Amino acid sequence: MNTTTSPRAVSRWVIFMLALGAGFSVASIYYAQPLLPLMGSDLHLSIEGMGMVPTLTQAGYAFGILFLLPLGDRHDRRTLILIKSAALALFLLGCSLTGQLHSLLLASLLIGMAATMAQDIVPAAAILAPEGQQGKTVGTVMTGLLLGILLSRTVSGVVGEAFSWRLMYQLAAASIASVGVVMWAVLPRFAVHSTLSYPALMHSMAHLWRRYPALRRAALAQGFLSIAFSAFWSTLAVMLLERYHMGSAVAGGFGIAGAAGALTAPLAGGLADRLGAGKVTQLGAALVTVSFALMFAMPWLSVYGQLALIAVSAVGFDLGLQSSLVAHQNLVYSLEPQARGRLNAVLFTVVFIGMALGSAAGSKIYTLAGWSGVVALATLCGGIALAIRLIENARVASAQADVA
């Protein structure tokens, strides 16, 4: 085990393992989405009851980011990652054994909180990155994270349909236990950047929110993109079952299409390094908005055309969301490098509040207005995020012109 306290010079192998760890851990909060019809059938759940599973998982993630992630500035990140990996494996196993809605929802909440180890890994990668390559390195780890989000749906859909949703959660528990062993083997120890008490850390996050307008706008823009993203993925499996009579494996298969967008994360990070994070966030939000708006054309297409359009839109909005997220992280991390953990906590708290709202609102709107209502919600939220970025970038350009 490497015990260095100055982990700047690390191998690409360690960065790759960080990407792998981020992917497996964050996948834990998305396995449920294509499995919702199977869970509903097994536990006799309504559509709203099924929708509460991803809602509470993502709410748990938001709570974990807000209340646990700041500890990364106060304690060794390696220790935090190892503790969370053990807890997450146990919670996933417990979820596979549940027999009623209330215990399923409790397990989902706890899974979300423990899965925040992924967000301990991302700032760790920023610390380990060579000088001048922070955007690219964070982008590489974010590739693993988003591939975990998207391919988790594919894997869980196939495993759930072939075997059961319970086996999927047991396999997930085993994967996280393995990740914990790998993290123990490859991670160096990290220097502690703050001696603040826990209450002082929490108070300092409110101070960071007030101090940096760029942080507030980045969090809000990414939060609205997350509402759109989550509304789509939380209702896709139910829509495919009701409209096309397709099972969880097909729903998960759309994750492969979305994964194509994840592969651009290093490119998005490199573009943020060269062109500026603001420009990349603007382009990403525009791509998300256009991709969702394309689905308004579904009523005029054949069945195969509709399914193809959903796949194309998934590639587009996942690419836009990922590009925007990497650029927003690059922007936020540069505000105050010694407070990366807390800055990351603020950003991702808002992101996963958006995810939870998207799951809840998506399920409700689908019940009331069908798939077209979900598409309208997603397009509107993408448009709001784009407006935030356009206003912010115009403000920055104006300020730079005044200085010049």
Side-chain angles (χ1 to χ4, degrees):
M1 179 183 66
N2 189 351
T3 59
T4 180
T5 58
S6 180
R8 174 62 67 178
V10 296
S11 68
R12 293 180 180 178
W13 170 251
V14 173
I15 299 300
F16 171 77
M17 296 312 298
L18 287 172
L20 192 68
F24 272 110
S25 54
V26 80
S28 301
I29 65 175
Y30 293 100
Y31 288 129
Q33 290 180 351
L35 299 174
L36 292 177
L38 298 175
M39 290 180 173
S41 176
D42 185 15
L43 302 177
H44 310 291
L45 308 179
S46 65
I47 290 178
E48 276 110 0
M50 287 185 278
M52 285 299 295
V53 174
T55 296
L56 281 182
T57 305
Q58 289 151 359
Y61 203 78
F63 288 139
I65 287 171
L66 178 61
F67 294 109
L68 300 180
L69 208 60
L71 295 173
D73 290 335
R74 180 65 178 82
H75 300 280
D76 181 3
R77 293 184 193 279
R78 180 179 181 275
T79 301
L80 295 174
I81 290 169
L82 296 180
I83 291 173
K84 287 182 180 179
S85 66
L88 181 55
L90 289 174
F91 296 149
L92 287 164
L93 181 61
C95 186
S96 75
L97 302 176
T98 187
Q100 56 173 317
L101 177 61
H102 292 95
S103 57
L104 174 64
L105 295 181
L106 176 60
S108 297
L109 181 71
L110 294 173
I111 286 169
M113 294 183 71
T116 54
M117 66 177 282
Q119 296 305 328
D120 290 304
I121 290 173
V122 174
I127 294 170
L128 296 173
E131 293 294 340
Q133 297 184 39
Q134 184 183 88
K136 182 178 179 180
T137 302
V138 170
T140 299
V141 174
M142 289 300 297
T143 296
L145 188 146
L146 196 64
L147 283 173
I149 293 173
L150 297 170
L151 294 182
S152 62
R153 299 182 177 95
T154 304
V155 172
S156 67
V158 171
V159 171
E161 189 160 299
F163 300 100
S164 71
W165 69 268
R166 296 180 187 276
L167 177 62
M168 182 62 245
Y169 273 86
Q170 291 162 6
L171 293 174
S175 73
I176 294 300
S178 300
V179 163
V181 173
V182 171
M183 292 294 101
W184 175 83
V186 305
L187 276 183
R189 297 190 185 280
F190 290 83
V192 174
H193 294 295
S194 175
T195 58
L196 294 175
S197 65
Y198 181 74
L201 278 175
M202 298 303 297
H203 184 267
S204 71
M205 289 171 60
H207 172 72
L208 291 170
W209 178 264
R210 293 192 300 267
R211 180 177 181 182
Y212 295 112
L215 171 62
R216 296 195 297 271
R217 295 185 182 100
L220 290 173
Q222 198 66 42
F224 276 105
L225 294 178
S226 299
I227 292 174
F229 179 88
S230 185
F232 173 90
W233 286 112
S234 295
T235 55
L236 178 65
V238 177
M239 185 275 288
L240 291 174
L241 178 63
E242 291 188 349
R243 181 178 292 190
Y244 305 107
H245 307 290
M246 293 178 173
S248 61
V250 175
F254 280 96
I256 297 176
L263 298 177
T264 65
L267 174 61
L271 286 174
D273 289 336
R274 294 193 299 272
L275 302 180
K279 187 67 174 179
V280 177
T281 60
Q282 182 178 321
L283 294 173
L287 183 55
V288 169
T289 305
V290 171
S291 297
F292 280 118
L294 286 175
M295 284 188 281
F296 283 119
M298 286 176 59
W300 290 277
L301 300 176
S302 67
V303 170
Y304 294 111
Q306 292 173 16
L307 295 173
L309 181 57
I310 294 172
V312 169
S313 296
V315 173
F317 72 71
D318 280 315
L319 168 57
L321 180 107
Q322 173 66 358
S323 299
S324 180
L325 180 57
V326 170
H328 275 136
Q329 286 181 287
N330 205 34
L331 185 156
V332 166
Y333 288 163
S334 68
L335 295 175
E336 193 171 319
Q338 297 305 311
R340 283 193 181 106
R342 283 163 285 165
L343 290 166
N344 202 47
V346 172
L347 174 63
F348 276 91
T349 295
V350 178
V351 165
F352 278 88
I353 288 173
M355 289 284 192
L357 288 175
S359 294
S363 298
K364 188 67 175 178
I365 289 175
Y366 182 80
T367 301
L368 296 174
W371 183 246
S372 61
V374 174
V375 172
L377 171 66
T379 304
L380 174 63
C381 290
I384 293 172
L386 177 58
I388 293 172
R389 292 317 315 172
L390 288 171
I391 293 169
E392 170 70 359
N393 292 345
R395 186 191 66 83
V396 172
S398 177
Q400 290 174 343
D402 291 341
V403 171

